[in-house]
């Protein structure tokens, strides 16, 4: 399927995509283990610091609007 997608069907978008989908499905179905990866991180925070933005991709946090409160 990969050879067909690379050679015979390389110039046809629909046929190449179908070959790639079949190859991926075969790889997934025939594999003994399918890896799953989750990233995790512990973050210390201070309840007096407000306005910190946290993101799941790119920069993990952004302090542009952060400020310190008195409480």
């Amino acid at each position: 399927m990969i050879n067909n997608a690379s050679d015979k069907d390389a110039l046809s978008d629909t046929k190449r995509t179908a070959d790639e989908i079949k190859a991926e499905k075969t790889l997934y179905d025939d594999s003994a283990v399918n890896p799953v990866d989750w990233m995790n991180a512990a973050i210390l925070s201070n309840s007096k610091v407000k306005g910190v933005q946290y993101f799941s991709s790119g920069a993990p946090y952004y302090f542009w609007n952060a400020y310190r409160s008195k409480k």
Side-chain angles (χ1 to χ4, degrees):
M1 289 173 268
I2 294 296
N3 288 336
N4 285 345
S6 299
D7 296 332
K8 185 177 93 175
D9 298 330
L11 299 178
S12 172
D13 290 342
T14 54
K15 288 182 181 179
R16 183 184 68 244
T17 301
D19 289 338
E20 291 168 346
I21 290 171
K22 287 180 197 173
E24 185 174 6
K25 184 170 177 16
T26 301
L27 178 66
Y28 183 80
D29 290 342
D30 292 348
S31 63
V33 175
N34 292 310
V36 178
D37 183 29
W38 285 286
M39 290 185 57
N40 193 353
I43 299 173
L44 293 175
S45 62
N46 187 329
S47 60
K48 293 181 181 179
V49 178
K50 308 289 184 190
V52 178
Q53 295 174 301
Y54 298 96
F55 301 103
S56 59
S57 63
Y61 32 82
Y62 193 61
F63 293 105
W64 184 261
N65 296 318
Y67 61 95
R68 182 175 169 215
S69 69
K70 295 189 188 238
K71 294 183 181 182

